[in-house]
């Protein structure tokens, strides 16, 4: 076999979650990405997230498109069903799968190329449907897998490895998602696990479309001086708009904040997020304010991160479709087929 | 003109689209059907919402022939714009009815056609107040004229009005008034009935009048499909409209009023088929209806479905190509494309219904085949089948029917297994086992369109790759034993046969009757599926000359036969009729005779 299974070493003192599973149980096959690729760090954060959330791997489905980033669903939760689809078209597959069974937790992983160019249409429409999924963009400003062409998220003036600047305006997935009506929009950095993990948890427990744009440097094609998506540039320009904690159900809030500076939002699928303001003028509950804050920051050369918008009361796809609670793939045939008598009656109308 | 018998003529209505003529024309046809007389309607409509010419042709055929005859005995010429061509289309000895409110004497340039003027607008303007009613009721009034001329049973028409408009008594009354206007005018001014007329019969007992998009949608409902995704495109749109309507009757959860189905209007066909695949992968019966342009867009995903072995059903209601072509005309131009859609080595199971009746049964069968074979299955109908009203036998349903979900491992089976691998050929038939996500921890696997080995793992290894694509070929062989066999009429021992496909069927049936009267008996096979089964090879082997008749320019079926069977290409005589109009029996006869005569001369 030409894919490598990670050796599984079980030690007695390995931490176990409430399901009795170890960290290893949430791993996938060995990553084949370049050493230092941001995408691998995100994979690590995802493993941490699903471990902490005690997710039964077989109740989770993983989707992706095509790209280095889209390879990563194979690198975590090998006990979950995975679907590495075609370039830019993962949202439609996830939509169909969700229609068939909306009980399964759904994670989608995409790249900036996969989402913002070839997949812009499907991305937009998954947002409009408020499809219940966590949608992660592993954003490196280039097409990694095809060797470093600029993607649609490349900033104006950011340079390619050989020095040529990008001359087209970038698409910011966060402002796009908010204006299209996404119900959960966040931005983070692959190099900041402390910020990323709570966001991933909140996104997974959010009901509806949770989009997290994770700046994830491509060490091979876009980590040089002059690139605005390098490790160094991202560390320098990143500014947290709001601090996010995810609080699991039935657990205590440990840190106390000054009154008036924090907001709690209950999440549909369990737990809540506690948001602590870093900036008085920013509220993630107000679309207009949020878009303005992101744009203002960008004008100043800053990258605004954190949970940028959340609306927990927006109906999701299942609700607007008015489908039954029971997964459609589990309804007995007898309840789906109207039978001969009904046919007979119906056809009387065609006589 | 020889056709003076009862129940044997064609009435063609020339209208302007957007004037409400189609309901009157359908009413005329349905009334004849209810009189027990076999009838069929063909709609030649523009790709436009209002103001362009549109025609509706009603063929009344005592023998129950359902193809257009190619000749028009009565023309109802309501469109001044097309009057000249409409007059020219009438068979010698035929009749033309027009609205004489506006004189058109200079155009009555044929002395072998009887022109009957009826002041429809003048009469309706006197009787009705609103502009809309005046326009609409002109249509009903000409049905009244025809009722008198053809000696139709007026009580049948009146009953139909009651059935159609029900409690809306003002509409029933208005239509009755208009019907009487036309009827009485004709009685008072013309010699009724005409030499061809209707005579009540019992030949439509046990039949219904329905279009093939409705029956295909009904097939989806009865097969237990729960997820349908689509992007609107003529002529497939009404399939999803019908599915939506039937689901609203049959698929509401009684307790919660919620839907036992999900219909998703996608952003484009790429998404529509992606959704169908996602749902099929996740264990729902799914489908997507479209037409040729949609299949072109779907191609990448179709290959994905083939290689990753995901069941779903794709309806291609074919229209005239290439490109946008003529969206409201019929053709069988997607035979090759659907057979091999997508890059790389791909081939797909295709089913070819001939009429709305088969569209129902093959639609149900498509869902079984898709799951048995774990692959996307095409149902190729066309605009003629999908959008025209056909007279078909009552559809039957066997309440003992159980869907064949193919090789799906249950959670109990998984529980008792050591390990599960997605693409192992356990049974030697090329069909692996699959699992439904979320059903059991041991069932998980990774689906990928990139190279994979029989365990489901990523591979770039030459032999591991080849292993899987070779197994797909074995599965293809299994498909040949599962797909529907052709319809064969092989009674006469002779050397010449016809092979055809889909909606050509009725024209061929009639053409064979005509040829038989001239002592030319031709055996007939109609393919119902690709891959071709052994019956097709047998038929090819048994004949020295085979006419392959189809509705496209390039002879796609004939080429598919040459490529995919052992036939000697020299035996194939390809007959292609592809102008967008359903084919006429006499054209089939002419083409065959031309070939046969040429053969004899040589
Ligand atoms: C239809 C199609 N066109 C082009 C490609 C080639 N292709 C593969 S990955 C890719 C870009 C991926 O970029 P991104 O999503 O940003 O992923 P990254 O590799 O940067 O993580 C392209 C263009 C393809 N696989 N399919
Ligand atoms: S090319 Fe870039 S994106 Fe792809 S694996 Fe290497 S570092 Fe990561
Ligand atoms: Mg990228």
């Amino acid at each position: 076999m030409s894919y490598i299974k990670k050796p599984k070493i079980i030690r007695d003192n390995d931490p176990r979650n409430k399901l009795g599973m170890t960290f290893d149980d949430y791993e996938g096959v060995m990553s084949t990405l370049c050493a230092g690729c941001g995408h691998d760090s995100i994979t690590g954060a995802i493993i941490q997230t699903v471990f902490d959330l005690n997710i039964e791997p077989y109740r989770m489905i993983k989707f992706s498109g095509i790209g280095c980033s889209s390879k990563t669903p194979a690198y975590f939760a090998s006990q979950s069903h995975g679907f590495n689809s075609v370039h830019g078209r993962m949202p439609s597959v996830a939509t169909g799968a969700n229609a068939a069974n909306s009980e399964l937790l759904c994670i989608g992983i995409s790249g900036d190329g996969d989402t913002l160019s070839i997949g812009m249409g499907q991305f937009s429409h998954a947002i409009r449907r408020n499809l219940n999924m966590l949608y992660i963009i592993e954003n490196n400003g280039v097409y990694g897998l095809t060797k470093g062409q600029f993607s649609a998220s490349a900033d104006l003036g950011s340079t390619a490895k050989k020095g040529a600047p990008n001359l087209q305006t970038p698409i910011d997935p966060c402002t796009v998602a908010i204006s299209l009506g996404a119900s959960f929009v966040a931005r983070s950095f692959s190099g900041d696990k402390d910020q990323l993990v709570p966001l991933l948890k909140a996104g997974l427990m959010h009901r509806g479309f949770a989009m997290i744009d994770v700046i994830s440097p491509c060490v091979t094609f876009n980590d040089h001086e002059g690139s605005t998506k390098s490790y160094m540039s991202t560390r320098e320009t990143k500014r947290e708009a709001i601090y996010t904690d995810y609080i699991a159900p039935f657990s205590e809030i440990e840190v106390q904040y000054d009154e008036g500076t924090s907001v709690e939002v209950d999440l549909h699928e369990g737990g809540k997020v506690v948001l602590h303001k870093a900036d008085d003028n920013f509220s993630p509950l107000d679309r207009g304010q949020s878009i303005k804050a992101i744009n203002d920051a960008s004008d100043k050369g800053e990258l605004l991160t954190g949970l940028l918008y959340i609306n927990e009361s927006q109906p999701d796809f299942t609700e607007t479709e008015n489908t039954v609670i029971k997964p459609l793939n589990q309804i007995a045939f007898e309840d789906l087929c109207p039978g001969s008598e009904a046919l007979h009656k119906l056809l009387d109308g065609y006589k | 003109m020889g056709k003076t018998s009862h129940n044997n003529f064609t009435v063609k209505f020339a209208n302007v689209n957007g004037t409400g003529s189609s309901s009157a024309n359908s009413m005329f046809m349905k009334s004849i059907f209810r009189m027990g007389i076999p009838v069929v309607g063909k709609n030649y409509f523009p790709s436009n919402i209002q103001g362009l010419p549109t025609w509706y042709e009603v063929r009344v055929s005592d023998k129950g022939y359902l193809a257009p005859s190619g000749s028009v005995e009565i023309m109802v010429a309501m469109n001044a714009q097309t009057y000249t061509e409409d007059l020219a289309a009438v068979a010698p000895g035929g009749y033309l009815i027009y609205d004489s409110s506006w004189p058109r004497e200079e155009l009555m340039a044929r002395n072998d056609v009887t022109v009957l003027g009826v002041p429809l607008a003048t009469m309706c303007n006197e009787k009705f107040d609103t502009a809309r009613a005046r326009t609409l009721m002109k249509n009903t009034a000409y049905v009244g004229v025809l009722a008198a001329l053809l000696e139709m049973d007026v009580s049948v028409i009146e009953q139909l009005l009651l059935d159609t408009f029900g409690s809306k008594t003002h509409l029933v009354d208005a239509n009755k008034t208009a019907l009487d206007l036309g009827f009485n005018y004709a009685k008072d001014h013309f010699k009724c009935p005409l030499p061809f007329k209707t005579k009540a019969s019992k030949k439509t007992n046990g039949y219904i009048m329905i279009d093939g998009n409705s029956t295909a949608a009904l097939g989806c409902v009865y097969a237990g499909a729960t997820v349908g995704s689509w992007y609107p495109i003529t002529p497939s749109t009404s399939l999803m409209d019908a599915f939506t309507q039937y689901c609203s009757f049959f698929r509401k959860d009684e307790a919660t009023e919620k839907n036992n189905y999900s219909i998703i209007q996608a952003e484009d066909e790429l998404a529509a088929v992606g959704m169908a695949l996602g749902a099929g992968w996740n264990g729902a019966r799914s489908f997507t209806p479209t037409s040729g342009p949609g299949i072109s867009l779907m191609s990448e995903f179709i290959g994905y479905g083939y290689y990753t072995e995901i069941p779903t059903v794709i309806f291609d209601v074919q229209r005239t190509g290439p490109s946008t072509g003529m969206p409201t005309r019929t053709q069988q131009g997607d035979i090759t494309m659907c057979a091999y859609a997508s890059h790389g080595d791909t081939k797909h199971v295709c089913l070819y219904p001939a009429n709305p009746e088969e569209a129902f049964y093959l639609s149900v069968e498509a869902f079984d085949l898709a799951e048995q074979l774990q692959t996307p299955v095409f149902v190729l109908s066309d605009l003629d089948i999908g959008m025209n009203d056909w007279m078909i036998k009552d559809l039957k349903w066997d309440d003992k029917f159980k869907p064949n979900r193919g090789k799906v491992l249950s959670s109990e089976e998984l529980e008792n297994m050591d390990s599960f691998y997605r693409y192992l050929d356990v049974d030697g038939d090329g069909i692996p086992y699959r699992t439904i996500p979320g059903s059991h921890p041991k069932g998980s696997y990774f689906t990928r369109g990139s190279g994979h080995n029989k365990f489901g793992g990523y591979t770039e290894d030459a032999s591991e790759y080849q292993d899987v694509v070779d197994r797909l070929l074995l599965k293809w062989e299994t498909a040949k034993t599962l797909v529907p066999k052709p319809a064969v009429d092989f009674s006469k021992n002779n050397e010449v046969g016809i092979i055809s496909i889909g909606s050509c069927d009725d024209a061929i049936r009639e053409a064979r009757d005509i040829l038989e009267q001239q002592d030319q008996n031709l055996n007939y096979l109609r393919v119902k599926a690709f891959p071709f089964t052994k019956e097709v090879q047998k038929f090819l082997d048994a004949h020295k000359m085979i006419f392959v008749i189809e509705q496209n320019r390039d002879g796609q079926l004939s080429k598919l036969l040459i490529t995919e069977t052992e036939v000697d290409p020299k035996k194939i005589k390809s007959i292609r009729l592809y102008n967008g109009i359903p084919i006429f029996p006499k054209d089939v006869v002419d083409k065959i005779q031309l070939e046969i005569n040429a053969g004899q001369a040589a």
Side-chain angles (χ1 to χ4, degrees):
Chain A
M1 271 187 254
S2 51
Y3 70 101
I4 304 162
K5 278 222 167 110
K6 281 190 185 167
K8 205 171 169 183
I9 310 153
I10 300 171
R11 297 173 219 87
D12 283 348
N13 53 355
D14 274 351
R16 289 177 186 271
N17 66 9
K18 285 187 183 148
L19 299 174
M21 298 179 73
T22 65
F23 222 75
D24 272 6
D25 293 328
Y26 291 95
E27 302 255 14
V29 299
M30 192 82 91
S31 168
T32 57
L33 303 183
C34 307
C37 174
H39 302 348
D40 277 335
S41 312
I42 302 174
T43 300
I46 294 171
I47 293 174
Q48 176 81 56
T49 299
V50 289
F51 173 87
D52 287 351
L53 290 176
N54 303 299
I55 284 165
E56 294 240 47
Y58 85 102
R59 302 293 293 167
M60 183 167 85
I61 44 183
K62 310 170 290 183
F63 296 92
S64 64
I66 297 288
C68 296
S69 36
S70 290
K71 289 183 176 185
T72 62
Y75 307 150
F76 63 86
S78 52
Q79 295 179 49
S80 299
H81 268 77
F83 197 119
N84 180 197
S85 72
V86 295
H87 195 18
R89 260 76 70 145
M90 165 256 282
S92 63
V93 179
T95 306
N98 185 274
N101 182 356
S102 57
E103 283 181 352
L104 304 179
L105 267 187
C106 178
I107 279 199
I109 307 223
S110 179
D112 42 325
D114 195 65
T115 291
L116 301 177
S117 291
I118 194 166
M120 189 67 175
Q122 296 211 350
F123 171 66
S124 307
H125 290 274
I127 291 175
R128 293 185 57 236
R129 293 186 185 98
N130 202 22
L131 187 66
N132 190 8
M133 76 182 295
L134 169 61
Y135 189 99
I136 300 165
I137 303 176
E138 303 189 342
N139 188 348
N140 53 16
V142 288
Y143 294 176
L145 193 58
T146 51
K147 299 194 184 294
Q149 300 83 359
F150 281 127
S151 82
S153 75
D155 292 307
L156 261 179
S158 183
T159 58
K161 213 173 175 183
K162 286 184 180 161
N166 168 48
L167 301 176
Q168 294 176 25
T169 51
I171 298 175
D172 180 337
C174 292
T175 51
V176 166
I178 297 171
S179 39
L180 287 170
S183 52
F184 181 114
V185 174
R187 177 144 49 214
S188 189
F189 172 42
S190 65
D192 187 351
K193 211 170 174 181
D194 289 344
Q195 183 194 41
L196 182 55
V197 171
L199 288 174
L200 288 171
K201 287 180 183 169
L204 208 50
M205 292 296 109
H206 165 75
R207 190 196 59 175
F209 196 82
M211 197 277 295
I212 309 186
D213 175 37
V214 188
I215 307 303
S216 175
C218 168
V219 289
T220 307
F221 298 110
N222 206 14
D223 198 31
H224 46 270
E225 215 183 308
S227 156
T228 61
K229 296 256 185 320
S230 64
Y231 278 107
M232 198 160 68
S233 168
T234 310
R235 283 208 179 91
E236 277 170 8
T237 57
K238 172 179 176 304
R239 180 163 67 79
E240 204 151 354
I242 196 150
Y243 307 111
T244 310
D245 266 350
Y246 171 76
I247 311 293
F250 314 114
S251 49
E252 290 294 315
I253 302 176
E254 282 165 14
V255 196
Q256 288 298 315
Y257 292 91
D258 295 344
E259 217 172 300
T261 62
S262 71
V263 192
E264 286 182 24
V265 182
D266 287 321
L267 298 171
H268 265 274
E269 317 284 335
K272 58 182 154 201
V273 279
V274 183
L275 304 158
H276 333 292
K277 290 194 177 175
D279 177 344
D280 271 349
N281 294 324
F282 182 81
S283 162
L285 304 175
D286 181 321
R287 274 170 28 126
Q289 238 188 53
S290 174
I291 292 177
K292 185 166 182 330
I294 298 169
N295 287 336
D296 287 351
S298 155
D299 289 348
K300 284 189 277 180
E302 288 177 347
L303 181 76
L304 208 62
T305 62
L307 181 50
L308 301 173
Y309 181 69
I310 181 165
N311 177 358
E312 205 53 23
S313 60
Q314 204 166 305
D316 76 343
F317 174 61
T318 316
E319 201 173 333
T320 48
E321 274 284 286
N322 195 32
T323 32
V324 287
I325 312 288
K326 187 172 185 176
L328 290 180
N329 68 0
Q330 287 161 31
I331 300 177
F333 180 70
E334 295 67 46
D335 295 328
L336 295 175
C337 179
S340 61
E341 212 180 293
L343 184 65
H344 196 72
K345 265 200 208 132
L346 178 84
L347 295 181
D348 266 350
Y350 293 91
K351 293 207 159 134
Chain B
M1 61 173 288
K3 285 185 182 159
T4 47
S5 59
H6 302 309
N7 300 343
N8 212 3
F9 55 88
T10 293
V11 182
K12 189 165 182 174
F13 300 90
N15 302 100
V16 177
N17 84 324
T19 57
S21 54
S22 72
S23 36
N25 301 343
S26 314
M27 176 169 80
F28 169 74
M29 177 173 68
K30 194 81 172 261
S31 303
I32 293 177
F33 174 76
R34 286 196 177 180
M35 286 171 67
I37 307 163
V39 65
V40 66
K42 302 286 178 201
N43 195 1
Y44 306 121
F45 59 106
S47 181
N48 181 268
I49 305 300
Q50 203 174 47
L52 287 187
T54 178
W55 291 269
Y56 193 71
E57 207 175 280
V58 176
R59 180 178 184 191
V60 181
S61 162
D62 199 40
K63 287 198 173 132
Y65 290 134
L66 300 181
S69 67
S71 113
V72 175
E73 280 68 43
I74 302 172
M75 178 70 74
V76 180
M78 296 296 288
N79 186 356
Q81 223 185 320
T82 61
Y83 185 84
T84 317
E85 68 177 283
D86 294 334
L87 178 65
V90 183
Y95 292 78
L96 179 139
I97 298 163
Y98 79 108
D99 187 346
S100 60
S101 309
W102 299 282
R104 293 185 206 161
E105 264 126 275
E106 76 283 8
L107 291 170
M108 293 177 195
R110 277 185 68 178
N111 47 23
D112 57 347
V113 170
T114 311
V115 174
L116 308 174
V118 183
L120 292 163
T122 313
M123 292 194 304
C124 288
N125 287 354
E126 276 167 20
K127 274 277 187 238
F128 301 101
D129 304 330
T130 66
R132 186 72 190 145
R134 287 170 174 170
T135 312
L136 289 177
M137 289 310 142
K138 273 195 300 190
N139 304 322
T140 310
Y142 67 61
V143 175
V145 173
L146 288 169
L149 292 173
L150 299 169
E151 213 167 60
M152 287 168 68
D153 185 342
V154 178
S155 68
V156 169
I157 309 178
E158 288 179 348
Q159 184 58 47
L160 188 61
L161 284 175
L162 283 174
D163 295 349
T164 311
F165 298 112
S167 55
K168 295 178 192 139
T169 40
H170 66 287
L171 287 179
V172 178
D173 292 344
N175 276 285
K176 269 191 184 165
T177 306
L179 201 62
D180 285 347
L181 277 182
F183 188 88
N184 294 333
Y185 188 92
K187 280 278 188 200
D188 294 346
H189 295 82
F190 311 131
K191 189 165 167 282
C192 297
L194 301 181
F196 19 77
K197 56 168 197 151
T198 58
K199 186 173 174 218
S201 161
K202 289 201 168 59
K203 292 189 174 166
T204 64
N205 278 353
Y207 286 81
I208 54 172
M209 291 228 66
I210 194 167
D211 64 80
N213 280 349
S214 297
T215 57
L218 210 47
C220 297
V221 173
Y222 273 74
T226 51
V227 179
S229 48
W230 69 300
Y231 187 78
I233 181 169
T234 304
S236 72
T237 301
S238 59
L239 198 161
M240 205 45 124
D241 290 344
F243 184 73
T244 309
Q245 196 197 8
Y246 297 139
C247 282
S248 73
F249 302 156
F250 297 132
R251 290 286 192 79
K252 284 276 176 196
D253 184 65
E254 276 169 26
T256 60
E257 281 288 297
K258 285 182 180 285
N259 304 335
N260 271 335
Y261 61 93
S262 183
I263 296 169
I264 317 170
Q265 187 183 320
E267 49 272 33
D268 52 36
E269 286 86 350
L270 286 73
V273 73
M275 290 168 185
L277 287 170
W281 174 81
N282 209 3
R285 287 199 149 185
S286 65
F287 69 99
T288 179
T290 187
S291 191
I295 305 286
S296 292
L297 285 183
M298 291 176 182
S299 286
E300 186 191 19
F301 252 139
I302 291 167
Y304 184 97
Y306 168 79
Y307 188 35
T308 59
E309 305 180 61
I310 300 176
T312 193
V313 176
I314 303 169
F315 291 90
D316 178 2
V317 187
Q318 297 167 97
R319 65 188 213 184
T320 307
S323 191
T324 302
M326 297 194 285
T328 59
R329 297 285 185 269
T330 197
Q331 206 169 59
Q332 298 173 321
D334 302 344
I335 297 172
T336 314
M337 171 169 70
C338 291
Y340 303 121
S342 208
H343 54 278
D345 289 321
T346 54
K347 26 192 175 180
H348 310 289
V349 173
C350 299
L351 307 182
Y352 311 110
N355 51 50
E357 184 185 357
E358 268 186 16
F360 175 73
Y361 297 113
L362 290 184
S363 163
V364 175
E365 194 163 354
F367 286 92
D368 273 5
L369 285 168
E371 289 201 297
Q372 277 178 281
L373 291 162
Q374 298 178 18
T375 197
V377 168
F378 286 94
V379 181
L380 275 89
S381 77
D382 60 31
L383 181 139
D384 184 18
I385 298 171
M387 290 190 73
N388 283 322
D389 277 331
W390 294 55
M391 187 182 106
I392 60 161
K393 282 208 194 80
D394 256 338
L395 300 174
K396 297 271 183 299
W397 185 255
D398 178 2
D399 287 321
K400 291 197 285 293
F401 176 87
K402 286 265 173 286
N404 189 335
R405 307 292 313 256
K407 298 184 193 178
V408 179
L409 292 172
S410 66
S411 34
E412 294 75 43
E413 287 168 312
L414 282 163
E415 184 62 43
N416 296 322
M417 285 172 82
D418 284 340
S419 51
F420 159 73
Y421 293 107
R422 173 67 178 95
Y423 297 117
L424 283 182
D425 184 11
V426 179
D427 302 329
D429 58 1
I431 306 172
Y433 283 80
R434 69 180 184 122
T435 56
I436 307 300
S439 57
H440 192 277
K442 280 192 211 159
S444 68
Y445 66 94
F446 202 87
T447 305
R448 47 165 65 85
S450 44
H452 47 268
N453 59 27
K454 61 186 173 189
F455 303 106
Y458 179 83
T459 193
E460 292 179 14
D461 179 279
S463 69
E464 284 191 352
Y465 159 80
Q466 203 167 320
D467 220 26
V468 172
V469 288
D470 286 348
R471 179 187 46 78
L472 287 171
L473 215 51
L474 179 63
K475 179 159 94 171
W476 187 248
E477 290 305 311
T478 304
K480 291 180 184 170
T481 66
L482 295 177
V483 299
K485 295 183 181 13
V488 189
D489 186 355
F490 199 158
S491 50
K492 311 254 168 31
N493 202 3
N494 62 63
E495 297 179 331
V496 185
I498 295 173
I499 290 185
S500 191
I501 186 166
S503 65
C504 299
D505 189 48
D506 275 280
I508 291 171
R509 187 158 61 95
E510 189 171 345
R512 287 176 74 221
D513 286 354
I514 299 169
L515 287 164
E516 194 176 310
Q517 283 161 18
Q518 300 163 10
D519 286 333
Q520 275 171 334
N521 295 315
L522 275 75
N523 290 330
Y524 175 38
L525 177 144
R526 178 169 54 82
V527 294
K528 282 196 198 175
F530 181 67
F532 301 125
T533 61
K534 60 179 189 302
E535 291 77 11
V536 177
Q537 185 65 53
K538 205 174 130 197
F539 188 90
L540 289 166
D541 292 345
H543 296 88
K544 281 207 174 126
M545 194 204 285
I546 302 121
F547 293 102
V548 178
I549 302 168
E550 58 191 305
Q551 298 174 53
N552 56 65
R553 186 195 66 184
D554 291 345
Q556 298 183 19
L557 175 63
S558 71
K559 286 176 183 164
L560 200 60
L561 285 163
I562 290 167
T563 314
E564 299 283 345
T565 71
E566 311 280 303
V567 69
D568 172 3
K570 287 198 222 73
K571 295 208 288 193
I572 302 270
K573 301 280 172 230
S574 176
I575 295 182
R576 307 157 185 193
L577 298 150
Y578 49 88
N579 61 6
I581 303 290
I583 61 178
F584 301 155
K586 67 174 166 46
D587 288 344
V588 173
V589 171
D590 290 350
K591 294 248 180 193
I592 287 179
Q593 281 178 337
L594 206 69
E595 280 286 349
I596 289 179
N597 293 342
Q600 281 161 356

